[in-house]
Amino acid sequence: MARRKSARIAAQEPKLPNPYGPHNGDSDDAAGLMSASQPSSPDSASSASDPDPEPRPAKRRKVTKHTPNTTTRSPTKYSKSNSLLLVQSIFTSAPHDGRALPLRPHPPSYHQPLLLSSPSAQASLLRWFQKEQTTRLMPWRKPFLTNPSRADLSRRAYEVWISEIMLQQTRVATVIAYWNKWMTKWPTIEDLAQATEEEVVNMWTGLGYYSRARRIHAGAQKVVTEMQGLLPDTVEGLMKHVPGVGRYTAGAISAIVFGEAEPMVDGNVMRVLSRQMGLMGDVKGDKRVVDVLWEAADRLVKVVAEADGEEGEKPGLWGQALMELGSTICTPKPQCGKCPVTESCMAYAEGLALASGLKQAVPDIEDGIACVLCELVEEDAMEASSQATEKKGRQQTSKFFEAFQASSMKEKDVASRTPLSQELNTIISHAQRFPLKKPKKQVREEEALVCAIRRVSDGQYLISRRPGKGLLAGLWEFPSYILPASNDSTTKSRKKQALDYASGLVESTDGYRGELGTVPWLFSHLRLAMHVQLFELDDSDRSLRTLPLESNYRWVSSDEIESESMGTGMKKCWSLIKATRE
Ligand code: SF4
């Protein structure tokens, strides 16, 4: 299905040639990699908006007896042809009834999303989102533009683009204030293109990952000079021509703004689809799992868009509905009792069957192909979980419920009734197992000296610019030095190291005033302790104007520091310095 941007611009507007060629309406390549702009860690992205802690992974065992010789559980050894076979097995088999017991091991077709063949579940999710979409007051959420002018479409695409980049790795509540401030300063993409990179990075201070700000700025200049201010409407065009736009952001812009039937898969959507599909795979480390989830999202949005006719708001609403569900209901600890799509959820059906005490069925492994994406939960772990929840529930409920649960039940009876409260606990507990959680990597710990070198005569401070690549690239800071790893970091040892380091910057370090304190700062991969050292140099210091690496160093006033492009951790060091001097 091709939904053309040109058709969406009002007839009175001059039509410009589309430099990107026709949109290929075929499904995205299932073997495609995750986008560069997509949160590198889908779960960490989702955790920004999800208040509940990650549950502990269940005890698991690897099952090899059902795995054919031609396949292996190692992602790196899974051949492309087998990968395609796997996708085919999931999406082209006859739909299952969705009321299976926890079938482990199981065939790939077990993961075919029931949402695909359930118009009632699709409608239920959209209805729920129509009611919910205004509750979190996100200013970038606006009605779909029908028959817009070129200027309106340009502005709408710009608004969604900025919001999607800001939302990567950042909470919605934080982004709202930044987005409003940004749009007040640069209401159009042309305004942004005229700003300096310094201004843009400065505005970004506090959002982290500053390369995103630089790419947005470069992208705005490119879109204005080469595309007459209007972002491309297709995923391919956006990814190819706009710096910093990856598969997720491209899908969001294309669907929300231009009505294209394109998927948008962030960490929240990965969690929702893993549960809907009963897929207990590693969404961070197994590319095959990621591919299958993108394929499912792609098929779903196309099915929903088909039902909507030629062009409209459904693709954007659908993508946002899945994301909203993942960030408010289907959180790491889900609220299944409030979910609008329980009828199509495999994790829910499995949990309900588990809570009802139904025995595990013998799986039907078609053509000898077993699912190789899921880690298999040990039966005894599942039963233990179920029994633990039941026991807890029994303490809270009456004998009547106990008797009811003990009675013999058929699968269809289980599927069609509302769960009891203790059963809901089992369902939630079971759903929390999806997606598979791998142990988190340890965060590296480092210590740094941050040297505030102040010139007494005019009160100016020495600052330096970080290298153009790497952590906090290009930002300004007080001259800093990462301490070698050691177990004996003390105030005394740091004083010696600070004097050594500063002597490479200024000729005399007689003005050393001591350590003001330590500012802890946490990056995604690094815990940094910044020990702030103060130097006050008088004018007799001959070296003040003969610094090394001159272009990367400046003397600046306190007011200039306030408005300088510095990382948030360094700004906290500045607060400590100011507080000491007041
Ligand atoms: S039923 Fe529960 S696990 Fe399934 S999608 Fe809804 S909230 Fe998520």
Side-chain angles (χ1 to χ4, degrees), residues 272 275-276 325 329-330 334-336 339 341-342 345 347-348 431:
V272 171
R275 290 169 176 173
Q276 282 282 321
L325 186 72
I329 301 287
C330 195
Q335 303 174 68
C336 299
C339 179
V341 281
T342 53
C345 182
Y348 184 95

Side-chain angles (χ1 to χ4, degrees), residues 202 556-566 571 574-575 578:
N202 215 1
V556 291
S557 67
S558 297
D559 287 347
E560 286 173 294
I561 292 173
E562 294 289 344
S563 58
E564 197 50 82
S565 305
M566 282 183 165
K571 289 266 184 188
W574 172 234
S575 297
K578 279 192 300 181

